[in-house]
Amino acid sequence: MVYRIPGIIKRVLKLNWPVIHTEQFFELKLLHFKGLKNNIDDLKIVKANDDSILELLKIWPVNIAKMQERLDSGNSECFISYLKEEPVAYHWIQFSGIHKIRPIGKSINVPLNAFIFYHTRVSKNHQGKGINKIAMSEIISYQKKNEFQMSLIYTSKKNKAQFHSLKSLGFEKVKSITSLKLGSNYYSLSKIWD
């Protein structure tokens, strides 16, 4: 006899089935950072403001109220990349305060003179063109001029494209943290920092 599981039960099991997730943490000391040559014609990176925050919706579906709250916090900035006047990517950085790392279920204090890339997206139509790498390089160079000494970023172990970008920029892997995802919550299975 074969038993079939009704669709609703399958969906509940899928939503609540535990998943092991690993975040990789990288750092870049900015002292000798030279930056990359912007070899993408018509790519322009600008700091977002109250007037341009709606442009994020043209890149990826986001909660604009939450994005505005980030801008208003005073400890985060967003940079929007435009290709021929079309918004194609955004990069959030945080440079002070407590930073929540949702995929590991923990928070950290942003180190003094450092900033964290924490929410970066390239629109689906423009992925694989090197936009992320060039935008990050421009943002890092800008922050270096503002006396920042280190850049941090974390990404899923599965994000191979991001690894290539980070390596070409000079980032070094410093830590991996594994967590258990249950539903929409994450529970760290390892220490954050020793």
Side-chain angles (χ1 to χ4, degrees):
M1 180 178 240
V2 176
Y3 292 97
R4 293 185 162 235
I5 300 173
I8 187 75
I9 294 174
K10 285 182 185 178
R11 286 191 294 278
V12 168
L13 287 175
K14 187 176 180 180
L15 287 174
N16 292 306
W17 197 257
V19 176
I20 299 294
H21 177 84
T22 302
E23 284 290 301
Q24 306 275 337
F25 290 77
F26 299 83
E27 73 177 24
L28 173 66
K29 293 187 170 65
L30 305 187
L31 181 63
H32 301 293
F33 182 75
K34 301 283 187 226
L36 301 175
K37 183 178 185 295
N38 182 349
N39 57 359
I40 302 173
D41 292 336
D42 299 319
L43 183 67
K44 179 175 67 169
I45 296 99
V46 299
K47 197 185 306 186
N49 58 37
D50 291 342
D51 296 329
S52 62
I53 197 75
L54 287 173
E55 299 280 291
L56 300 183
L57 289 172
K58 296 176 183 174
I59 301 163
W60 206 266
V62 295
N63 179 329
I64 289 296
K66 186 175 180 179
M67 301 301 111
Q68 187 65 54
E69 186 178 308
R70 285 182 185 174
L71 267 186
D72 295 342
S73 73
N75 65 9
S76 288
E77 292 178 333
C78 180
F79 293 84
I80 302 175
S81 299
Y82 293 88
L83 185 59
K84 297 180 182 175
E85 306 303 319
E86 176 190 355
V88 295
Y90 62 80
H91 293 75
W92 282 92
I93 63 167
Q94 183 173 340
F95 46 84
S96 65
I98 296 173
H99 180 76
K100 182 177 182 182
I101 306 171
R102 186 173 175 268
I104 61 167
K106 299 287 182 181
S107 297
I108 62 166
N109 286 315
V110 178
L112 187 63
N113 297 319
F115 64 97
I116 298 174
F117 282 100
Y118 70 97
H119 189 185
T120 66
R121 290 279 190 263
V122 177
S123 66
K124 289 184 180 182
N125 294 340
H126 292 89
Q127 292 177 359
K129 298 178 181 178
I131 292 170
N132 181 55
K133 180 172 49 177
I134 296 300
M136 287 182 69
S137 176
E138 297 276 329
I139 295 164
I140 293 166
S141 295
Y142 174 80
Q143 292 300 97
K144 182 180 177 182
K145 289 176 189 169
N146 288 320
E147 312 266 329
F148 284 89
Q149 298 169 5
M150 184 169 43
S151 178
L152 306 166
I153 189 169
Y154 54 93
T155 188
S156 169
K157 185 177 181 178
K158 297 176 186 177
N159 192 345
K160 302 297 183 202
Q162 183 75 307
F163 292 153
H164 294 298
S165 292
L166 297 176
K167 185 176 180 180
S168 68
L169 290 166
F171 278 87
E172 295 179 5
K173 184 176 143 190
V174 293
K175 190 157 188 92
S176 293
I177 297 180
T178 302
S179 62
L180 179 69
K181 181 181 181 198
L182 186 56
S184 62
N185 296 314
Y186 291 85
Y187 303 94
S188 180
L189 299 176
S190 51
K191 286 183 176 181
I192 293 187
W193 265 248
D194 298 326

